[in-house]
């Protein structure tokens, strides 16, 4: 499958900030109709809430919890042409509180996919390498179609009707390893029950018989990411524990968002983005696996014109020799006419 270069990353991913009103609130300025929205109250210890167009508005899951899917009619009420509409739910719209929403574009409510031994519903954007997949498990080694037409490097799976942890496959940790998005645990290696010890293909991902990914008659959501040059980069780096000149990761583009996790210890997941502070030496972070409010005045990473640079000795981000996973989504391909932001 041919992939067209992305010249405007904000057509596919964008971070949106707003101040809650406590009343119904139409959030605009995303730049497209989002299909996956991940929301966090920056000012308070609230859950991360995730919504997508395949499951439908008002259906929330949590990156920091193993809870089953819930329905809240006062949460995200609709996906709109330039954003979304919120109800009165406090984690998303508390009066006077600062909120962040990360938005990805797929392709609406999705369509049937029969590529795998388990049929799925897939909303896919092949240009940006992102798909949202729902399926029902069968407790048998199986395959599921993801629609990308390219091998995914990251797959995040959550059981919807039960309380199993999130399971995260990455090409960097391999097909016998998994991580839990809702915990700080290191990868669980040597596990053959999650991905059936088989690497995804351009059309399929593989499931073992573990109940967190493929329980009989259980329902699941999967978020799948293939790497697209100039827009997304997924990989590993090693820290050097030098705060003044930390490890540099070359993404080939200016990152809008970086998700990061240490791979050899019990360290939190981190999210950084270029909107919440907007300048280096003070890029605030949030933890996908915790309810904690946004950090304040603590610099750990600089977002540069062609990648990101660690600026800390903290073990969660830049321990000497420590291996780390990263996911980066971009703004502008290196070599564009845009002036780099945050580059120092």
């Amino acid at each position: 499958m041919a992939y067209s270069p992305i010249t405007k990353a904000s057509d596919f991913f964008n971070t949106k900030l707003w101040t809650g009103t406590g009343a119904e609130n139409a959030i605009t300025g995303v730049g497209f109709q989002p299909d996956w929205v991940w929301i966090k109250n920056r000012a308070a210890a609230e859950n991360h809430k995730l919504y997508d167009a395949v499951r439908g508005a008002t259906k929330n899951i949590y990156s920091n919890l193993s809870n089953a899917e819930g329905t809240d009619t006062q949460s995200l009420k609709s996906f709109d042409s330039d954003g979304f509409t919120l109800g009165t739910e406090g984690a998303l719209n508390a009066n006077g509180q600062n909120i962040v929403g990360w938005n990805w574009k797929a392709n609406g409510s999705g369509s049937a996919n029969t590529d795998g031994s388990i049929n799925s519903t897939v909303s896919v954007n092949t240009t940006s390498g992102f798909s949202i997949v729902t399926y029902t498990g069968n407790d048998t080694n199986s395959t599921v179609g993801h629609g990308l037409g390219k091998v995914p490097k990251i797959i995040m799976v959550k059981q919807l009707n039960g309380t199993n942890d999130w399971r995260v496959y990455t090409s960097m940790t391999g097909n016998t390893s998994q991580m839990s998005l809702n915990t700080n645990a290191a990868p669980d290696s040597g596990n053959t029950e999650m991905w059936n010890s088989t690497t995804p293909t351009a059309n399929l991902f593989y499931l073992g018989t573990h109940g967190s990914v493929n329980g009989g008659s259980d329902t699941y959501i999967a978020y799948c990411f293939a790497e697209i040059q100039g827009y997304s980069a997924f990989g590993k780096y090693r820290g050097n524990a030098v705060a003044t000149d930390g490890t540099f990761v070359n993404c080939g583009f200016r990152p809008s968002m970086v998700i990061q996790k240490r791979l050899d210890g019990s360290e939190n997941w981190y999210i950084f983005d270029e909107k919440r502070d907007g300048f280096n030496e003070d890029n605030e972070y949030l933890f996908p696996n915790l309810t904690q409010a946004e950090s304040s005045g603590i610099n750990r990473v600089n977002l540069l014109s062609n990648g990101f640079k660690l600026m800390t000795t903290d073990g969660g981000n830049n321990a000497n020799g420590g291996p780390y996973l990263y996911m980066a989504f971009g703004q502008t391909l290196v070599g564009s006419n845009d002036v780099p932001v945050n580059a120092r």
Side-chain angles (χ1 to χ4, degrees):
M1 179 179 292
Y3 281 76
S4 301
I6 290 178
T7 57
K8 188 179 178 184
S10 59
D11 286 343
F12 304 96
F13 171 81
N14 205 356
T15 301
K16 179 66 182 176
L17 308 180
W18 65 92
T19 302
T21 64
E24 185 167 298
N25 191 3
I27 306 301
T28 60
V30 170
F32 53 86
Q33 181 165 320
D35 298 300
W36 186 31
V37 182
W38 179 336
I39 299 175
K40 177 67 177 79
N41 186 321
R42 302 162 59 192
E46 298 276 10
N47 293 319
H48 295 249
K49 294 200 167 185
L50 283 59
Y51 303 85
D52 64 71
V54 178
R55 292 181 297 120
T58 76
K59 304 289 187 181
N60 54 259
I61 50 177
Y62 314 89
S63 70
N64 58 291
L65 295 174
S66 63
N67 292 29
E69 178 186 66
T71 301
D72 184 346
T73 59
Q74 289 301 315
S75 60
L76 189 147
K77 301 177 76 170
S78 64
F79 299 94
D80 305 331
S81 61
D82 189 31
F84 45 89
T85 296
L86 302 174
T88 59
E89 206 278 321
L92 315 180
N93 193 26
N95 187 37
Q97 294 195 343
N98 292 329
I99 320 288
V100 59
W102 300 288
N103 303 270
W104 288 260
K105 182 176 178 59
N107 191 25
S109 59
S111 57
N113 182 299
T114 59
D115 290 343
S117 59
I118 293 176
N119 292 339
S120 56
T121 298
V122 178
S123 176
V124 61
N125 193 307
T126 57
T127 301
S128 63
F130 172 57
S131 68
I132 304 167
V133 180
T134 59
Y135 63 92
T136 300
N138 63 11
D139 196 28
T140 302
N141 291 338
S142 300
T143 56
V144 178
H146 55 69
L148 291 170
K150 188 172 183 177
V151 178
K153 284 197 166 184
I154 308 283
I155 303 172
M156 301 178 176
V157 177
K158 179 65 183 79
Q159 182 190 36
L160 296 176
N161 65 330
T163 59
N164 274 297
D165 286 339
W166 284 81
R167 304 301 178 186
V168 181
Y169 162 85
T170 83
S171 63
M172 289 67 73
T173 50
N175 60 34
T176 60
S177 180
Q178 63 82 30
M179 290 182 288
S180 299
L181 183 63
N182 56 290
T183 78
N184 68 355
D188 173 16
S189 59
N191 189 314
T192 62
E193 291 183 280
M194 297 296 174
W195 321 117
N196 196 21
S197 305
T198 309
T199 300
T201 69
N203 299 307
L204 302 170
F205 63 89
Y206 291 78
L207 300 174
T209 58
H210 198 281
S212 59
V213 296
N214 191 21
S217 301
D218 290 335
T219 54
Y220 299 87
I221 188 78
Y223 302 111
C224 306
F225 302 88
E227 194 171 66
I228 302 296
Q229 183 178 6
Y231 167 75
S232 59
F234 314 123
K236 290 196 297 187
Y237 69 88
R238 287 199 175 271
N240 66 6
V242 180
T244 56
D245 189 19
T247 297
F248 168 70
V249 179
N250 189 339
C251 298
F253 55 82
R254 187 173 76 198
S256 293
M257 177 198 216
V258 175
I259 299 175
Q260 175 259 321
K261 171 76 174 78
R262 186 168 180 174
L263 293 175
D264 67 344
S266 298
E267 295 281 359
N268 292 317
W269 293 78
Y270 286 80
I271 295 182
F272 303 92
D273 67 66
E274 49 82 34
K275 291 282 181 71
R276 285 180 290 127
D277 222 26
F279 55 89
N280 281 330
E281 311 309 329
D282 196 17
N283 282 307
E284 312 293 7
Y285 57 84
L286 288 161
F287 300 113
N289 57 297
L290 298 176
T291 62
Q292 185 171 315
E294 184 175 78
S295 66
S296 178
I298 302 172
N299 190 51
R300 298 199 176 190
V301 64
N302 283 356
L303 304 177
L304 306 174
S305 62
N306 58 346
F308 62 94
K309 188 175 183 65
L310 282 304
M311 303 297 291
T312 181
T313 61
D314 188 272
N317 314 97
N318 192 35
N320 189 32
Y324 297 86
L325 166 77
Y326 72 89
M327 302 173 60
F329 298 92
Q331 279 192 18
T332 305
L333 186 65
V334 171
S336 79
N337 292 323
D338 283 7
V339 177
V341 102
N342 293 339
R344 293 187 178 181

